[in-house]
Amino acid sequence: MCILHGCVHVLYPFIFAGEHLRICPQEYTCCTSEMEDKLSQQSKLEFENLVEEMSHFVRTTFVSRHKKFDEFFRELLENAERSLNDMFVRTYGMLYMQNSEVFQELFIELKRYYTGGNVNLEEMLNDFWARLLERMFQLINPQYHFSEDYLECVSKYTDQLKPFGDVPRKLKVQVTRAFIAARTFVQGLTVGREVANRVSKVSPTPGCIRALMKMLYCPYCRGLPTVKPCDNYCLNVMKGCLANQADLDTEWNLFIDAMLLVAERLEGPFNIESVMDPIDVKISEAIMNMQENSMQVSAKVFQGCGQPKPAPGLRSSRSVPDNFNTRFRPYNPEERPTTAAGTSLDRLRTIWRTMQHGVIDIKEKLKLSKKFWSALPYTVCKKESVTAGPSNDDDCWNGHAKAKYLPEIMNDGLTNQINNPEVDVDITRPDTYIRQQIMALRVMTNKLRNAYNGNDVNFQDTSEETSGSGSGSGCTDDICPTEFEFITTEAPLVDSDRREVDSSASRSSRPAFTWSVICLALLLQRQCR
């Protein structure tokens, strides 16, 4: 009599001939057809739970790291905005508070971009400087009245006059590449989380369920409850049952590699600290440039837009108000206050350090998740509760008896299961659900590769414009291909005095170089602190 918990039941105390069995060897058994059906369902449940258990690490890696990175980045933005506000209130007082919505809108758009909004970073930053020029122009020329049309004309001179010096160009490069990297990285964590969650919920085929039943419970029906499946036998069953999951591995590994490269950008030349920490000082520097060049800027604007009308009740000869120079004084970063603003800045730096450690932690966890899906059969079959182990290859269940398992182990993937001796696999019908996940990874990998080079394909994908030039791309449809040939992993080069190489100045007259030369030019961009 069998000693399986089901077989010792009072209803089935006897050994039967096995002709009625549809899955297990048709030899003497204590399992009825009904028991075999129930044990088949039990096999299915155990397999599903095993895969979910074995994939727990990779799933929690993406879930927890996505949550931490997202929290850090949002808090970093909040503190950067608070730090700028505290500094500008202290430095510029009422003049800032009367125009604070210009700066608030800047951070609103940055947050909207990060959270997936359809924001062109370059255009948004251009609008910010244009609006700031309009406000500043009115402040330095209070003796005049400016209509909306006149102010629109003023804003058109932003690029030509460079009233804020070189700050807008440098900040644009830094903001676009840092935010592109951060947004794409957090999107990558989201995609990795979703793919891992979906793929780990397996739906075994009828052929897989039969193989699982034969491996896990037929020993019980044969009266061998203590004999576990042979190692290689388990591997063939799992490779057949998880053939489609293994096909995910190639694209998964490319995705992980791209995530690791963008993580390096967040640690190095594309790191957000270089933008968020000194952004208040940089904007203050731009304001001072505008003030110092106010007369020349005004004269050129009056020449291009016409002489404005005097303000009602003011003498036309009145110039910059007496309190302008005292209110808009230069701000020395060495004199950052130690009160509320200092606390905010310290908090910002603390958040950054925490986020940087988080990126390092994410990198280590991502490395461990490479080749996860092709290794999943091996991971399952290593469990002591599942197989007899490699040291007991003569004392294990081989699907028919307690003996050594002789068939060869199949290779990974669907097409390699055509001759799988344990699982009937239709290699002509790939799992469409798995193929959808492969495509999701492929799309995300392409975005990550572009983010690594500072190109924002997210905006290109959603923009209704036909130019194809997303934020920070510096590309046109006839230059930038839709698919990048991803070769280099080198950091951007920097010239000897660490100045940023501006690739945008000659964009309109760029000769027809090869794509590799253009990629090199993009990589030559470097942050200016």
Side-chain angles (χ1 to χ4, degrees):
M1 182 173 66
C2 298
I3 55 175
L4 169 63
H5 58 274
C7 291
V8 298
H9 194 281
V10 67
L11 293 178
Y12 309 107
F14 305 110
I15 296 177
F16 310 99
E19 291 85 355
H20 59 282
L21 297 179
R22 295 185 300 274
I23 299 174
C24 294
Q26 294 185 344
E27 301 176 10
Y28 285 109
T29 182
C30 64
C31 289
T32 63
S33 297
E34 182 182 8
M35 287 178 64
E36 196 179 39
D37 290 340
K38 288 182 178 179
L39 291 174
S40 292
Q41 289 304 308
Q42 182 64 24
S43 302
K44 175 178 178 294
L45 290 174
E46 287 188 17
F47 171 69
E48 292 170 348
N49 291 336
L50 269 173
V51 173
E52 194 158 351
E53 178 188 342
M54 295 298 98
S55 62
H56 180 262
F57 164 77
V58 71
R59 288 184 290 113
T60 54
T61 291
F62 284 94
V63 171
S64 61
R65 272 59 189 181
H66 174 272
K67 185 174 185 293
K68 286 183 179 179
F69 184 89
D70 187 54
E71 287 175 352
F72 290 153
F73 196 89
R74 288 173 186 267
E75 192 170 358
L76 191 71
L77 282 176
E78 293 290 342
N79 276 267
E81 182 177 11
R82 193 177 300 117
S83 178
L84 181 143
N85 184 73
D86 291 343
M87 173 192 156
F88 275 35
V89 168
R90 180 185 175 91
T91 307
Y92 305 125
M94 187 58 67
L95 287 176
Y96 163 71
M97 290 186 279
Q98 290 172 343
N99 297 277
S100 61
E101 75 275 6
V102 176
F103 304 91
Q104 291 169 0
E105 184 65 25
L106 170 66
F107 281 94
I108 288 171
E109 289 299 292
L110 287 174
K111 292 172 191 173
R112 193 162 75 86
Y113 173 84
Y114 170 71
T115 55
N118 187 18
V119 178
N120 185 320
L121 283 177
E122 286 192 5
E123 290 182 2
M124 183 271 291
L125 290 168
N126 290 340
D127 289 344
F128 165 74
W129 292 111
R131 290 185 64 195
L132 187 59
L133 174 60
E134 291 178 11
R135 298 297 179 93
M136 289 285 298
F137 193 77
Q138 292 177 83
L139 288 172
I140 63 177
N141 293 287
Q143 69 273 32
Y144 296 112
H145 169 73
F146 300 102
S147 65
E148 290 295 324
D149 290 340
Y150 196 96
L151 290 176
E152 186 176 345
C153 179
V154 171
S155 67
K156 292 178 180 178
Y157 281 84
T158 308
D159 292 335
Q160 180 182 338
L161 298 177
K162 297 187 184 301
F164 299 111
D166 205 31
V167 174
R169 183 190 66 81
K170 292 179 180 178
L171 198 61
K172 181 191 295 184
V173 171
Q174 293 170 336
V175 166
T176 51
R177 68 188 184 185
F179 272 76
I180 288 167
R183 177 167 99 157
T184 310
F185 189 71
V186 81
Q187 286 179 344
L189 290 172
T190 302
V191 169
R193 178 191 66 193
E194 294 302 315
V195 169
N197 282 336
R198 290 167 180 166
V199 177
S200 62
K201 297 186 184 304
V202 294
S203 298
T205 63
C208 172
I209 296 171
R210 288 175 60 86
L212 290 167
M213 164 62 192
K214 187 177 180 181
M215 182 182 81
L216 295 174
Y217 283 112
C218 285
Y220 288 89
C221 293
R222 289 296 310 278
L224 302 170
T226 61
V227 180
K228 295 180 180 178
C230 301
D231 238 28
N232 291 349
Y233 175 35
C234 174
L235 283 174
N236 273 341
V237 172
M238 292 302 158
K239 288 197 175 200
C241 288
L242 297 170
N244 284 283
Q245 280 76 5
D247 282 348
L248 189 79
D249 213 50
T250 299
E251 209 61 53
W252 177 263
N253 293 337
L254 292 173
F255 163 71
I256 296 297
D257 286 338
M259 286 288 290
L260 291 170
L261 287 170
V262 175
E264 289 178 9
R265 288 299 201 213
L266 290 170
E267 289 180 286
F270 287 24
N271 81 66
I272 201 70
E273 182 192 30
S274 65
V275 180
M276 291 293 97
D277 184 356
I279 194 170
D280 45 10
V281 177
K282 291 175 181 176
I283 294 176
S284 180
E285 177 190 341
I287 290 173
M288 298 319 302
N289 285 332
M290 170 69 182
Q291 180 184 344
E292 290 169 3
N293 300 309
S294 59
M295 294 186 67
Q296 299 95 309
V297 170
S298 297
K300 290 182 178 178
V301 169
F302 293 161
Q303 183 180 359
C305 299
Q307 190 70 20
K309 296 179 181 179
L314 291 178
R315 298 190 305 273
S316 61
S317 62
R318 185 177 177 184
S319 59
V320 178
D322 295 336
N323 71 336
F324 185 85
N325 287 323
T326 58
R327 298 303 291 169
F328 277 77
R329 59 183 174 83
Y331 189 86
N332 186 351
E334 300 299 324
E335 300 175 357
R336 286 197 174 188
T338 56
T339 56
T343 303
S344 177
L345 181 63
D346 291 341
R347 176 63 178 154
L348 189 154
R349 286 173 170 161
T350 300
I351 295 166
W352 165 249
R353 284 193 295 269
T354 307
M355 190 173 98
Q356 198 168 38
H357 288 309
V359 172
I360 295 171
D361 172 65
I362 291 170
K363 282 177 62 179
E364 294 306 310
K365 294 296 189 295
L366 288 176
K367 290 175 185 176
L368 293 174
S369 69
K370 282 195 70 174
K371 299 183 179 179
F372 172 79
W373 303 105
S374 61
L376 189 55
Y378 297 88
T379 307
V380 172
C381 294
K382 279 182 182 176
K383 280 186 68 70
E384 292 183 1
S385 61
V386 177
T387 63
S391 61
N392 297 312
D393 60 348
D394 287 322
D395 188 22
C396 55
W397 174 253
N398 67 6
H400 302 279
K402 179 182 176 182
K404 187 172 183 176
Y405 184 76
L406 298 176
E408 64 176 339
I409 302 173
M410 297 294 101
N411 290 324
D412 301 324
L414 185 64
T415 56
N416 289 315
Q417 307 312 308
I418 188 170
N419 294 317
N420 191 310
E422 310 304 335
V423 187
D424 292 329
V425 182
D426 185 353
I427 67 168
T428 65
R429 298 184 61 185
D431 188 313
T432 55
Y433 191 67
I434 298 294
R435 266 51 195 175
Q436 288 172 1
Q437 308 315 308
I438 290 174
M439 184 55 64
L441 289 173
R442 190 170 296 161
V443 170
M444 192 67 241
T445 299
N446 185 56
K447 290 183 178 182
L448 288 162
R449 289 172 173 176
N450 281 280
Y452 175 80
N453 290 321
N455 302 317
D456 189 4
V457 294
N458 287 331
F459 184 80
Q460 292 177 20
D461 290 345
T462 53
S463 175
E464 293 180 357
E465 300 175 5
T466 58
S467 66
S469 56
S471 300
S473 66
C475 301
T476 55
D477 283 341
D478 58 334
I479 295 176
C480 291
T482 55
E483 293 291 336
F484 277 57
E485 185 176 341
F486 196 50
I487 301 173
T488 180
T489 57
E490 296 291 324
L493 301 176
V494 182
D495 55 8
S496 57
D497 60 356
R498 298 182 65 81
R499 289 177 303 173
E500 191 174 44
V501 179
D502 184 11
S503 66
S504 62
S506 60
R507 188 173 300 165
S508 61
S509 60
R510 181 178 292 150
F513 292 140
T514 62
W515 169 237
S516 61
V517 175
I518 295 169
C519 285
L520 178 60
L522 289 171
L523 288 175
L524 285 173
Q525 290 184 339
R526 174 73 174 168
Q527 65 190 16
C528 291
R529 296 292 301 267

